[in-house]
Each structure stands twice: as C-alpha cells, then as structure tokens.
Amino acid sequence: MEQKIRPYLSIGIDIGADFSVMAAALPNQEIIGRIYKILHSSPRSVEGAVERIRSLEQTYGLPVKIYMESTSIYHLPLYHRLKDAGWEVYVLNPIVTHANQNINIRNIHNDKQDARRIALLGLRPGLKTSIIPDDEIAAVKALLREYHAMKKETSMYICRLKNQLRQVFPQYLPRFSKVNGKASLAVLAHYPSPDAVLAAGADALTKLIQKAAGKGEAMAQKKANDLLAAAQEALAFGHGNDGITFLIGHYVEMIRTLDERTAAVLKQVKQSLLERPDSLLTRQTRLLESIPGAGFLTAVTIICEIGDFSAFRCPKKLYSYFGFDPVVRQSGNSASADLRMSKRGSPYARRCFYMLALQSVSLRKNGEPKNPVLRAYYLEKCKTKAKMTALGAIIHKLCNIVFAVLRDDTPFALISPLEHCQKYSSVSQAA
C-alpha cells in the first residue's frame, strides 16, 4: 500500500546573482501572499525571508518544503542558510524547470512568474531534484573545475603563441616537440624573434637550453645549431614586427604563470585528500585509480562530479547523468537515424571518461595493452563501426566498471568475458 504524502507548503525561489525572488503555494496550487525579494548583500533581507517562511508555516499549519533552481553557485549561500533554519530544501536542475516553463498559456517570463512557477512545480509528486554534495566534495570539486578551466586557458595561449610564431618564425615549431616545453619557453622568453636568436649566438643558446631542459651539453648544442639555422631561414621566409615580438613574450609569461598556478591548485587537491585519508572521497578515489589507465586526476574528478553515488541505482542512471545517453527523435513511424550523445551532464566528467577510454584501448611502451579485454572489444567493434562509435562503446563499458567498483567498494579486478559470464551464472543459480 502506497504511503500517503502529507500536504505541505511549497516555497519557490528564483535565484539571481545579487537577489532572489520568493513565492509560496498551497497544496491546492493557490499562490499565497506577495512576492518577496531577497537581497543577497543584506543580512536583514535574508533574515526577513526566513521570518516570512516561518510566519507562513505557522499561519497555515503546514510543513514547508523549499525549492530553488540550480544557478551556478549563486544558490548555495541561500540554500545553506535555509537548511540551517531546519527546513527541507531542494535544488532543481534547470532542465526540469525549463521543461515546465509553459505551465501558463500566456508567454510571460520574469522573476516573479518564475518564482511562482517553481513553487507550483514543487507540489508535483515524484519531482526529480539535484543532490548537493557535502562540503569536502564541494571544496575539491571547485578546485578541480578551476584546474580544468586554467588548463583550457593555457591551451588557448599556446595556440595564440603558435599562430604568432607561424608568422614571424615558422621554422621554429618543428624544432621542439612541444612549444610550451621548458626549453622552448626559456628560448622564447629571452629571444622572441629570429633576429634575437641570431644575435645571441650558439654558446648563449646552448647554455640556456641545457639549463632549462636539464639535458647534456651535446644535445643542447645540437638544438642551438638547429635554432640558428631556423632563424636564418626565417629571414628569407617570415615577417614580424614589434607588436608580434611583444605578444610572443606576453604569451610565454602567461603560459608560465598558468602552469605554476595549475600546479599549485593540483597540489591543494592532493593535500585535501591526504589530510582526510579515511574519508569517503579519498577511499572512492583510490578505488577508481585501480582501473587501468585511470590516474589520480581522472579518478578524483569523476568522483567529485558524481557527488553522492548512493543516488544511482543502476549503471544506466550514471550513464545518463554524464550525458552519454543518445538523443532520440521519433514521431509516429518517423525516427531519426542521426544518433548522438545528449551531453547534458558534466563536461569535466565526459572529458575524463574520454581520456580514460583512450588509455584503456592503448598500448604500453612494451607493446602490451593496458586493458586487454577492452582493447579486444574495441578492435572487434572497429570492424563494423566508426572509431568514435567504437570508443563510445568503450565509454559505456567504463561507466559500468566505475559503477561496479563503487557499488561493491572493491578495487578493479581484470577478468575475461568468459570468467565474467561464469561468475554471473553461479550467482544467478545461487539466488
């Protein structure tokens, strides 16, 4: 017999960067009272909202449930303040609220109407809400997202640096495997143009490269001679000016600064886990690191993006949460053949799974596969499917693996498909 849901007062809050708008609805979907504006910078306004909710709770004799839309990080201070006041507070995914924006026939969109709409949405049975992670996971998650954002910014500056070099010094790029390597950045910081490289001479370049790269003198001398030859060629094919020279030095400085700060952020992430060796976050990170190809950064990012793993009952839920589920477009007998990922979930998690999939099907330096089972499965898929489609199948498998490792709370153990089937059959017969 289904348990009857007790009526409650639904409080809807439309979150903004500097202020929020609050509305209340009775169980019969009647909006009550006036719209209340909460100024985030005013403690008096925030406490006024708390007192207003308490007053409504006492007036109508109903328990209160508060609903607000997830809006970047702007909803968090108000969320925690209302939680501390003793109420049930729920966060709604914008996808859920946007799907119900046409609740009225009139096409009205403003803060007041949105607050009323969220309050009415909170009265719906079976409403799906988002999970707010605890402070430990939230802190590490914020650090990781900043790390990935800074890495992306570094890549942008590397591309800009390459573009300028292709104009003024096109022969430079083939001389270094990575333009943002230590030796390359040291050379460009001191000698940002072909003329400067030629003026420096072989001895100065050799000493600089040897010091920056930490390699032998013979290698540094060979690299210096290559650079001098490239600079001489640039005089015949290459065009620069003072602005380009300045920008090359500027980009080098920005890349170095970002590299230094990203290293500091990653160090802080590792320190946070070292300080809590027995925490759930640390334990789950260690479990995912047992998967072949999964490093510390990949493992901790996936765990932080998952948040509360107990919210996922099966691998398909996790698969959809990350946005790996296909977009299906069907109407009557018409169905689109162009299937693609929905990409509704975390882009940080998807990137980690993509890199993990590449690692899983790759070979070690000695020629052995890192994950022989997944590599064999990938190669078999590639016989009939495109490579990216086959890689998508590997990502699906990895989602299943991540789910199983976290569900069983045991490290990953590599077994063949035959052993897996035999184990599944024995468990089924025992049940």
Side-chain angles (χ1 to χ4, degrees):
M1 185 175 181
E2 293 185 2
Q3 186 178 1
K4 189 175 181 181
I5 300 176
R6 183 185 175 188
Y8 58 89
L9 189 65
S10 176
I11 305 295
I13 303 179
D14 181 61
I15 302 293
D18 299 316
F19 67 88
S20 299
V21 178
M22 183 176 72
L26 290 173
N28 62 359
Q29 298 191 357
E30 177 188 352
I31 301 294
I32 57 174
R34 299 181 62 183
I35 299 297
Y36 186 85
K37 186 175 182 178
I38 309 170
L39 299 176
H40 297 175
S41 59
S42 171
R44 181 179 177 182
S45 179
V46 174
E47 293 307 313
V50 173
E51 293 301 323
R52 186 178 181 84
I53 296 174
R54 285 205 179 105
S55 175
L56 291 172
E57 187 177 28
Q58 294 172 2
T59 300
Y60 292 93
L62 293 172
V64 167
K65 292 185 180 181
I66 302 172
Y67 297 87
M68 59 180 65
E69 188 179 66
S70 175
T71 312
S72 183
I73 58 175
Y74 303 133
H75 63 284
L76 292 176
L78 193 57
Y79 170 86
H80 289 290
R81 176 64 188 92
L82 297 175
K83 285 281 287 187
D84 293 341
W87 291 302
E88 295 181 39
V89 187
Y90 301 94
V91 176
L92 303 177
N93 191 302
I95 295 174
V96 175
T97 56
H98 291 170
N100 293 273
Q101 64 184 357
N102 293 326
I103 197 170
N104 292 323
I105 193 169
R106 295 185 62 194
N107 187 13
I108 300 175
H109 177 76
N110 55 44
D111 294 338
K112 293 182 180 181
Q113 185 64 25
D114 287 347
R116 296 189 186 101
R117 178 166 50 85
I118 294 173
L120 294 174
L121 189 60
L123 295 171
R124 293 193 176 186
L127 181 64
K128 293 183 179 180
T129 58
S130 301
I131 298 173
I132 301 298
D134 59 35
D135 285 342
E136 180 191 3
I137 293 180
V140 176
K141 182 178 179 179
L143 289 171
L144 287 170
R145 289 198 167 188
E146 181 64 19
Y147 173 87
H148 290 296
M150 292 171 69
K151 277 294 185 181
K152 184 177 180 180
E153 190 175 357
T154 303
S155 298
M156 292 172 59
Y157 277 110
I158 292 173
C159 290
R160 294 175 185 176
L161 175 61
K162 288 182 177 180
N163 288 338
Q164 299 300 337
L165 287 173
R166 287 188 177 101
Q167 183 177 178
V168 67
F169 204 165
Q171 300 81 4
Y172 180 89
L173 293 176
R175 264 61 183 185
F176 289 93
S177 58
K178 291 175 62 178
V179 73
N180 59 317
K182 291 183 178 179
S184 175
L185 292 179
V187 170
L188 292 175
H190 287 81
Y191 313 112
S193 67
D195 292 333
V197 169
L198 292 172
D203 292 340
L205 287 172
T206 301
K207 291 179 181 179
L208 180 62
I209 295 171
Q210 186 178 5
K211 181 180 179 181
K215 299 294 180 68
E217 183 179 356
M219 186 282 296
Q221 188 172 11
K222 181 178 182 304
K223 185 72 69 175
N225 291 332
D226 288 344
L227 282 176
L228 288 172
Q232 191 65 44
E233 293 173 3
L235 297 180
F237 184 78
H239 178 75
N241 52 50
D242 292 341
I244 294 177
T245 302
F246 174 83
L247 285 177
I248 289 175
H250 168 68
Y251 294 152
V252 169
E253 184 179 353
M254 292 301 299
I255 292 170
R256 282 179 162 179
T257 302
L258 286 169
D259 284 342
E260 179 184 347
R261 298 318 305 161
T262 50
V265 171
L266 185 58
K267 181 180 178 181
Q268 180 61 35
V269 171
K270 293 180 178 179
Q271 186 65 29
S272 299
L273 270 65
L274 286 174
E275 292 175 353
R276 303 174 182 85
D278 300 325
S279 68
L280 180 62
L281 173 60
T282 303
R283 188 170 72 251
Q284 290 182 334
T285 300
R286 298 290 178 258
L287 288 173
L288 291 197
E289 282 185 285
S290 66
I291 301 173
F296 170 79
L297 186 61
T298 296
V300 71
T301 300
I302 292 175
I303 292 299
C304 287
E305 294 300 325
I306 288 176
D308 185 1
F309 176 72
S310 63
F312 301 94
R313 300 188 302 274
C314 64
K316 287 187 177 180
K317 299 289 184 183
L318 194 64
Y319 194 76
S320 299
Y321 180 74
F322 288 138
F324 293 127
D325 56 318
V327 175
V328 179
R329 301 188 183 278
Q330 183 177 5
S331 179
N333 295 326
S334 174
S336 174
D338 183 20
L339 293 180
R340 55 184 177 82
M341 292 182 182
S342 66
K343 295 187 178 180
R344 278 186 166 181
S346 166
Y348 306 98
R350 281 198 301 275
R351 182 179 184 276
C352 287
F353 270 100
Y354 174 73
M355 298 304 297
L356 181 55
L358 290 177
Q359 289 293 319
S360 298
V361 300
S362 63
L363 300 174
R364 302 183 189 277
K365 291 183 178 180
N366 59 5
E368 296 180 357
K370 294 180 179 179
N371 190 321
V373 174
L374 288 184
R375 178 171 174 81
Y377 180 76
Y378 171 75
L379 294 177
E380 185 65 26
K381 281 287 184 181
C382 285
K383 293 179 180 178
T384 56
K385 304 290 184 180
K387 288 187 176 181
M388 288 304 296
T389 303
L391 202 62
I394 296 298
I395 291 175
H396 200 164
K397 291 283 188 183
L398 287 170
C399 272
N400 293 338
I401 292 172
V402 167
F403 182 88
V405 167
L406 296 179
R407 177 198 60 199
D408 300 337
D409 199 20
T410 55
F412 172 80
L414 185 64
I415 60 175
S416 67
L418 179 60
E419 292 173 326
H420 179 77
C421 292
Q422 291 173 347
K423 184 179 179 180
Y424 179 79
S425 298
S426 62
V427 172
S428 299
Q429 292 174 0

Short mmCIF file of all heavy atoms in Angstrom, two decimals, residues 157-158 160-162 164-166 168-169 172-173 176 178-194 196-197 205 208-209 212 227 244-253 255-256:
data_model
loop_
_atom_site.label_atom_id
_atom_site.label_comp_id
_atom_site.label_asym_id
_atom_site.label_seq_id
_atom_site.Cartn_x
_atom_site.Cartn_y
_atom_site.Cartn_z
N TYR A 157 46.33 30.03 -24.88
CA TYR A 157 47.54 30.84 -25.03
C TYR A 157 48.59 30.11 -25.87
O TYR A 157 49.35 30.74 -26.63
CB TYR A 157 48.12 31.21 -23.66
CG TYR A 157 47.45 32.40 -23.04
CD1 TYR A 157 46.62 32.27 -21.94
CD2 TYR A 157 47.62 33.68 -23.57
CE1 TYR A 157 45.99 33.37 -21.37
CE2 TYR A 157 47.00 34.78 -23.03
CZ TYR A 157 46.19 34.62 -21.92
OH TYR A 157 45.57 35.72 -21.38
N ILE A 158 48.67 28.78 -25.75
CA ILE A 158 49.61 28.01 -26.57
C ILE A 158 49.25 28.14 -28.05
O ILE A 158 50.12 28.32 -28.92
CB ILE A 158 49.61 26.53 -26.13
CG1 ILE A 158 50.22 26.41 -24.73
CG2 ILE A 158 50.38 25.67 -27.12
CD1 ILE A 158 50.12 25.01 -24.14
N ARG A 160 47.64 30.65 -29.43
CA ARG A 160 47.98 32.02 -29.85
C ARG A 160 49.47 32.17 -30.09
O ARG A 160 49.90 32.84 -31.05
CB ARG A 160 47.52 33.02 -28.78
CG ARG A 160 46.01 33.10 -28.62
CD ARG A 160 45.66 34.01 -27.48
NE ARG A 160 44.22 34.02 -27.21
CZ ARG A 160 43.65 34.68 -26.21
NH1 ARG A 160 44.41 35.39 -25.38
NH2 ARG A 160 42.34 34.63 -26.03
N LEU A 161 50.27 31.55 -29.23
CA LEU A 161 51.72 31.61 -29.40
C LEU A 161 52.13 30.95 -30.71
O LEU A 161 52.96 31.49 -31.46
CB LEU A 161 52.40 30.92 -28.21
CG LEU A 161 53.93 30.79 -28.26
CD1 LEU A 161 54.58 32.17 -28.32
CD2 LEU A 161 54.44 30.00 -27.06
N LYS A 162 51.56 29.81 -31.00
CA LYS A 162 51.88 29.12 -32.26
C LYS A 162 51.50 29.98 -33.47
O LYS A 162 52.24 30.01 -34.46
CB LYS A 162 51.15 27.78 -32.31
CG LYS A 162 51.72 26.72 -31.38
CD LYS A 162 50.95 25.41 -31.54
CE LYS A 162 51.53 24.32 -30.67
NZ LYS A 162 50.78 23.04 -30.81
N GLN A 164 51.39 33.23 -33.74
CA GLN A 164 52.36 34.32 -33.94
C GLN A 164 53.69 33.79 -34.47
O GLN A 164 54.32 34.42 -35.33
CB GLN A 164 52.57 35.08 -32.64
CG GLN A 164 51.33 35.75 -32.08
CD GLN A 164 50.73 36.76 -33.03
OE1 GLN A 164 51.40 37.30 -33.91
NE2 GLN A 164 49.43 37.04 -32.86
N LEU A 165 54.10 32.62 -33.97
CA LEU A 165 55.35 32.03 -34.45
C LEU A 165 55.25 31.62 -35.91
O LEU A 165 56.23 31.72 -36.66
CB LEU A 165 55.73 30.82 -33.59
CG LEU A 165 56.24 31.14 -32.18
CD1 LEU A 165 56.40 29.87 -31.37
CD2 LEU A 165 57.56 31.89 -32.24
N ARG A 166 54.08 31.15 -36.33
CA ARG A 166 53.90 30.77 -37.73
C ARG A 166 54.06 31.97 -38.66
O ARG A 166 54.35 31.82 -39.85
CB ARG A 166 52.52 30.15 -37.92
CG ARG A 166 52.40 28.74 -37.34
CD ARG A 166 51.08 28.10 -37.73
NE ARG A 166 51.00 26.74 -37.22
CZ ARG A 166 50.33 26.38 -36.13
NH1 ARG A 166 49.65 27.30 -35.44
NH2 ARG A 166 50.31 25.13 -35.73
N VAL A 168 56.04 35.01 -37.75
CA VAL A 168 57.35 35.63 -37.67
C VAL A 168 58.49 34.62 -37.70
O VAL A 168 59.60 34.91 -38.15
CB VAL A 168 57.44 36.50 -36.39
CG1 VAL A 168 57.39 35.63 -35.14
CG2 VAL A 168 58.71 37.34 -36.40
N PHE A 169 58.22 33.36 -37.23
CA PHE A 169 59.29 32.37 -37.10
C PHE A 169 58.73 30.98 -37.42
O PHE A 169 58.71 30.08 -36.58
CB PHE A 169 59.82 32.39 -35.66
CG PHE A 169 61.23 31.89 -35.48
CD1 PHE A 169 61.93 32.14 -34.32
CD2 PHE A 169 61.84 31.12 -36.48
CE1 PHE A 169 63.22 31.66 -34.14
CE2 PHE A 169 63.12 30.65 -36.31
CZ PHE A 169 63.82 30.91 -35.13
N TYR A 172 60.44 27.62 -36.45
CA TYR A 172 60.73 27.33 -35.04
C TYR A 172 59.98 26.10 -34.54
O TYR A 172 60.55 25.25 -33.83
CB TYR A 172 60.34 28.55 -34.18
CG TYR A 172 60.59 28.38 -32.71
CD1 TYR A 172 61.81 28.73 -32.15
CD2 TYR A 172 59.61 27.86 -31.85
CE1 TYR A 172 62.06 28.57 -30.80
CE2 TYR A 172 59.84 27.71 -30.51
CZ TYR A 172 61.06 28.06 -29.99
OH TYR A 172 61.31 27.91 -28.65
N LEU A 173 58.71 25.98 -34.89
CA LEU A 173 57.85 24.94 -34.31
C LEU A 173 58.36 23.52 -34.54
O LEU A 173 58.31 22.69 -33.62
CB LEU A 173 56.42 25.08 -34.85
CG LEU A 173 55.68 26.35 -34.40
CD1 LEU A 173 54.31 26.42 -35.08
CD2 LEU A 173 55.51 26.37 -32.90
N PHE A 176 60.95 21.86 -31.83
CA PHE A 176 60.58 21.41 -30.49
C PHE A 176 59.33 20.55 -30.57
O PHE A 176 58.38 20.87 -31.29
CB PHE A 176 60.32 22.60 -29.57
CG PHE A 176 61.55 23.37 -29.19
CD1 PHE A 176 61.93 24.48 -29.93
CD2 PHE A 176 62.32 22.98 -28.12
CE1 PHE A 176 63.06 25.20 -29.60
CE2 PHE A 176 63.46 23.70 -27.77
CZ PHE A 176 63.83 24.81 -28.52
N LYS A 178 57.26 20.14 -28.18
CA LYS A 178 56.21 20.92 -27.51
C LYS A 178 56.67 22.37 -27.43
O LYS A 178 57.73 22.65 -26.86
CB LYS A 178 55.95 20.38 -26.10
CG LYS A 178 55.29 19.01 -26.06
CD LYS A 178 55.18 18.50 -24.65
CE LYS A 178 54.31 19.41 -23.79
NZ LYS A 178 54.15 18.88 -22.41
N VAL A 179 55.89 23.26 -28.00
CA VAL A 179 56.27 24.67 -27.96
C VAL A 179 56.20 25.22 -26.55
O VAL A 179 56.85 26.22 -26.22
CB VAL A 179 55.36 25.48 -28.91
CG1 VAL A 179 53.95 25.62 -28.33
CG2 VAL A 179 55.95 26.86 -29.18
N ASN A 180 55.42 24.57 -25.67
CA ASN A 180 55.31 25.01 -24.28
C ASN A 180 56.21 24.21 -23.35
O ASN A 180 56.03 24.24 -22.13
CB ASN A 180 53.86 24.90 -23.80
CG ASN A 180 53.31 23.50 -23.87
OD1 ASN A 180 53.52 22.80 -24.85
ND2 ASN A 180 52.58 23.08 -22.84
N GLY A 181 57.18 23.49 -23.90
CA GLY A 181 58.16 22.81 -23.06
C GLY A 181 59.08 23.81 -22.37
O GLY A 181 59.17 24.98 -22.77
N LYS A 182 59.80 23.36 -21.36
CA LYS A 182 60.65 24.26 -20.56
C LYS A 182 61.73 24.91 -21.42
O LYS A 182 61.97 26.12 -21.32
CB LYS A 182 61.29 23.49 -19.40
CG LYS A 182 60.30 23.06 -18.34
CD LYS A 182 61.02 22.36 -17.20
CE LYS A 182 60.03 21.96 -16.09
NZ LYS A 182 60.72 21.26 -14.98
N ALA A 183 62.39 24.12 -22.26
CA ALA A 183 63.45 24.67 -23.10
C ALA A 183 62.91 25.66 -24.11
O ALA A 183 63.48 26.75 -24.32
CB ALA A 183 64.19 23.54 -23.81
N SER A 184 61.80 25.32 -24.73
CA SER A 184 61.20 26.21 -25.74
C SER A 184 60.77 27.54 -25.11
O SER A 184 61.04 28.61 -25.66
CB SER A 184 59.99 25.53 -26.39
OG SER A 184 59.34 26.40 -27.26
N LEU A 185 60.09 27.48 -23.96
CA LEU A 185 59.65 28.72 -23.32
C LEU A 185 60.83 29.57 -22.86
O LEU A 185 60.77 30.81 -22.91
CB LEU A 185 58.75 28.39 -22.12
CG LEU A 185 57.38 27.77 -22.45
CD1 LEU A 185 56.60 27.49 -21.17
CD2 LEU A 185 56.57 28.69 -23.36
N ALA A 186 61.90 28.91 -22.41
CA ALA A 186 63.09 29.67 -21.98
C ALA A 186 63.71 30.41 -23.17
O ALA A 186 64.10 31.58 -23.04
CB ALA A 186 64.11 28.71 -21.36
N VAL A 187 63.77 29.75 -24.31
CA VAL A 187 64.34 30.39 -25.51
C VAL A 187 63.48 31.58 -25.93
O VAL A 187 63.98 32.69 -26.19
CB VAL A 187 64.45 29.37 -26.66
CG1 VAL A 187 64.81 30.09 -27.97
CG2 VAL A 187 65.51 28.32 -26.34
N LEU A 188 62.15 31.37 -25.99
CA LEU A 188 61.27 32.44 -26.45
C LEU A 188 61.20 33.60 -25.45
O LEU A 188 60.99 34.75 -25.85
CB LEU A 188 59.87 31.88 -26.69
CG LEU A 188 59.74 30.90 -27.87
CD1 LEU A 188 58.34 30.32 -27.92
CD2 LEU A 188 60.08 31.59 -29.18
N ALA A 189 61.36 33.30 -24.17
CA ALA A 189 61.34 34.38 -23.16
C ALA A 189 62.55 35.31 -23.33
O ALA A 189 62.42 36.52 -23.13
CB ALA A 189 61.32 33.78 -21.76
N HIS A 190 63.71 34.75 -23.69
CA HIS A 190 64.91 35.56 -23.84
C HIS A 190 65.09 36.08 -25.27
O HIS A 190 65.59 37.20 -25.47
CB HIS A 190 66.15 34.74 -23.44
CG HIS A 190 66.27 34.50 -21.97
ND1 HIS A 190 65.57 33.51 -21.32
CD2 HIS A 190 67.00 35.14 -21.01
CE1 HIS A 190 65.87 33.52 -20.02
NE2 HIS A 190 66.74 34.51 -19.81
N TYR A 191 64.68 35.26 -26.25
CA TYR A 191 64.91 35.62 -27.65
C TYR A 191 63.62 35.39 -28.44
O TYR A 191 63.46 34.34 -29.09
CB TYR A 191 66.06 34.78 -28.23
CG TYR A 191 67.27 34.73 -27.33
CD1 TYR A 191 67.64 33.53 -26.71
CD2 TYR A 191 68.03 35.87 -27.08
CE1 TYR A 191 68.75 33.48 -25.88
CE2 TYR A 191 69.13 35.82 -26.25
CZ TYR A 191 69.49 34.63 -25.65
OH TYR A 191 70.58 34.59 -24.82
N PRO A 192 62.69 36.33 -28.43
CA PRO A 192 61.36 36.13 -29.02
C PRO A 192 61.27 36.39 -30.52
O PRO A 192 60.17 36.46 -31.06
CB PRO A 192 60.50 37.14 -28.26
CG PRO A 192 61.43 38.25 -27.92
CD PRO A 192 62.78 37.62 -27.68
N SER A 193 62.40 36.53 -31.20
CA SER A 193 62.38 36.78 -32.65
C SER A 193 63.60 36.14 -33.30
O SER A 193 64.60 35.86 -32.62
CB SER A 193 62.38 38.29 -32.93
OG SER A 193 63.61 38.87 -32.53
N PRO A 194 63.57 35.89 -34.61
CA PRO A 194 64.74 35.31 -35.30
C PRO A 194 65.99 36.18 -35.16
O PRO A 194 67.09 35.66 -35.00
CB PRO A 194 64.27 35.21 -36.75
CG PRO A 194 62.78 35.15 -36.68
CD PRO A 194 62.41 36.00 -35.52
N ALA A 196 66.78 38.09 -32.66
CA ALA A 196 67.31 37.93 -31.31
C ALA A 196 68.05 36.61 -31.17
O ALA A 196 69.07 36.53 -30.47
CB ALA A 196 66.17 38.02 -30.29
N VAL A 197 67.54 35.56 -31.81
CA VAL A 197 68.20 34.25 -31.76
C VAL A 197 69.57 34.32 -32.43
O VAL A 197 70.57 33.82 -31.90
CB VAL A 197 67.32 33.17 -32.43
CG1 VAL A 197 68.10 31.87 -32.61
CG2 VAL A 197 66.07 32.92 -31.60
N LEU A 205 72.78 30.21 -26.49
CA LEU A 205 71.62 29.32 -26.67
C LEU A 205 71.87 27.96 -26.04
O LEU A 205 70.98 27.38 -25.41
CB LEU A 205 71.33 29.16 -28.16
CG LEU A 205 70.70 30.36 -28.88
CD1 LEU A 205 70.65 30.12 -30.38
CD2 LEU A 205 69.29 30.62 -28.35
N LEU A 208 71.55 28.18 -22.24
CA LEU A 208 70.16 28.40 -21.85
C LEU A 208 69.34 27.11 -21.98
O LEU A 208 68.58 26.74 -21.07
CB LEU A 208 69.54 29.50 -22.72
CG LEU A 208 68.07 29.86 -22.42
CD1 LEU A 208 67.91 30.38 -21.01
CD2 LEU A 208 67.58 30.89 -23.44
N ILE A 209 69.49 26.40 -23.10
CA ILE A 209 68.73 25.17 -23.33
C ILE A 209 69.16 24.08 -22.36
O ILE A 209 68.33 23.35 -21.81
CB ILE A 209 68.91 24.70 -24.79
CG1 ILE A 209 68.29 25.71 -25.75
CG2 ILE A 209 68.29 23.32 -25.00
CD1 ILE A 209 68.59 25.43 -27.21
N ALA A 212 67.64 24.91 -18.94
CA ALA A 212 66.18 24.78 -18.87
C ALA A 212 65.73 23.33 -19.01
O ALA A 212 64.82 22.89 -18.29
CB ALA A 212 65.55 25.63 -19.98
N LEU A 227 68.34 25.83 -34.08
CA LEU A 227 67.61 27.09 -33.93
C LEU A 227 68.27 28.20 -34.75
O LEU A 227 67.58 29.03 -35.36
CB LEU A 227 67.54 27.50 -32.46
CG LEU A 227 66.51 26.77 -31.60
CD1 LEU A 227 66.63 27.20 -30.15
CD2 LEU A 227 65.11 27.05 -32.11
N ILE A 244 54.26 41.83 -32.64
CA ILE A 244 54.31 40.37 -32.57
C ILE A 244 55.37 39.93 -31.57
O ILE A 244 55.16 38.99 -30.79
CB ILE A 244 54.60 39.78 -33.97
CG1 ILE A 244 53.42 40.05 -34.90
CG2 ILE A 244 54.86 38.28 -33.88
CD1 ILE A 244 53.64 39.58 -36.32
N THR A 245 56.51 40.60 -31.57
CA THR A 245 57.57 40.26 -30.62
C THR A 245 57.09 40.42 -29.18
O THR A 245 57.36 39.58 -28.32
CB THR A 245 58.81 41.14 -30.87
OG1 THR A 245 59.26 40.97 -32.22
CG2 THR A 245 59.93 40.79 -29.91
N PHE A 246 56.37 41.52 -28.92
CA PHE A 246 55.83 41.74 -27.58
C PHE A 246 54.83 40.65 -27.21
O PHE A 246 54.84 40.13 -26.08
CB PHE A 246 55.16 43.11 -27.51
CG PHE A 246 54.45 43.36 -26.20
CD1 PHE A 246 55.15 43.79 -25.09
CD2 PHE A 246 53.09 43.12 -26.07
CE1 PHE A 246 54.51 44.01 -23.88
CE2 PHE A 246 52.43 43.34 -24.88
CZ PHE A 246 53.14 43.79 -23.77
N LEU A 247 53.95 40.29 -28.15
CA LEU A 247 52.92 39.29 -27.86
C LEU A 247 53.54 37.92 -27.58
O LEU A 247 53.05 37.20 -26.70
CB LEU A 247 51.95 39.18 -29.04
CG LEU A 247 50.95 40.33 -29.18
CD1 LEU A 247 50.10 40.12 -30.44
CD2 LEU A 247 50.05 40.42 -27.95
N ILE A 248 54.61 37.57 -28.27
CA ILE A 248 55.28 36.28 -28.01
C ILE A 248 55.79 36.23 -26.58
O ILE A 248 55.58 35.25 -25.86
CB ILE A 248 56.42 36.05 -29.02
CG1 ILE A 248 55.84 35.77 -30.41
CG2 ILE A 248 57.31 34.90 -28.58
CD1 ILE A 248 56.89 35.66 -31.50
N GLY A 249 56.43 37.32 -26.14
CA GLY A 249 56.89 37.38 -24.75
C GLY A 249 55.74 37.36 -23.76
O GLY A 249 55.82 36.72 -22.70
N HIS A 250 54.65 38.03 -24.12
CA HIS A 250 53.46 38.05 -23.26
C HIS A 250 52.85 36.67 -23.12
O HIS A 250 52.50 36.24 -22.02
CB HIS A 250 52.45 39.04 -23.84
CG HIS A 250 51.09 38.96 -23.22
ND1 HIS A 250 50.84 39.35 -21.91
CD2 HIS A 250 49.90 38.51 -23.72
CE1 HIS A 250 49.55 39.15 -21.64
NE2 HIS A 250 48.97 38.65 -22.72
N TYR A 251 52.72 35.97 -24.23
CA TYR A 251 52.11 34.63 -24.20
C TYR A 251 52.98 33.66 -23.41
O TYR A 251 52.47 32.82 -22.66
CB TYR A 251 51.91 34.10 -25.63
CG TYR A 251 50.89 34.87 -26.42
CD1 TYR A 251 50.97 34.95 -27.82
CD2 TYR A 251 49.85 35.54 -25.80
CE1 TYR A 251 50.04 35.66 -28.56
CE2 TYR A 251 48.91 36.25 -26.54
CZ TYR A 251 49.01 36.31 -27.90
OH TYR A 251 48.08 37.02 -28.62
N VAL A 252 54.29 33.77 -23.55
CA VAL A 252 55.20 32.92 -22.79
C VAL A 252 55.03 33.15 -21.29
O VAL A 252 54.96 32.20 -20.50
CB VAL A 252 56.66 33.16 -23.22
CG1 VAL A 252 57.62 32.49 -22.24
CG2 VAL A 252 56.90 32.66 -24.63
N GLU A 253 54.94 34.40 -20.91
CA GLU A 253 54.76 34.73 -19.49
C GLU A 253 53.43 34.20 -18.95
O GLU A 253 53.36 33.66 -17.84
CB GLU A 253 54.83 36.25 -19.30
CG GLU A 253 54.76 36.69 -17.85
CD GLU A 253 54.86 38.19 -17.69
OE1 GLU A 253 55.14 38.86 -18.70
OE2 GLU A 253 54.66 38.69 -16.57
N ILE A 255 51.68 31.62 -20.12
CA ILE A 255 51.73 30.15 -20.05
C ILE A 255 52.49 29.71 -18.82
O ILE A 255 52.07 28.79 -18.10
CB ILE A 255 52.38 29.59 -21.33
CG1 ILE A 255 51.47 29.82 -22.54
CG2 ILE A 255 52.67 28.10 -21.18
CD1 ILE A 255 52.14 29.52 -23.87
N ARG A 256 53.61 30.37 -18.53
CA ARG A 256 54.38 30.02 -17.34
C ARG A 256 53.59 30.28 -16.06
O ARG A 256 53.60 29.45 -15.13
CB ARG A 256 55.68 30.83 -17.32
CG ARG A 256 56.76 30.31 -18.26
CD ARG A 256 57.98 31.19 -18.19
NE ARG A 256 59.17 30.54 -18.73
CZ ARG A 256 60.36 31.09 -18.80
NH1 ARG A 256 60.52 32.35 -18.38
NH2 ARG A 256 61.38 30.43 -19.28
#
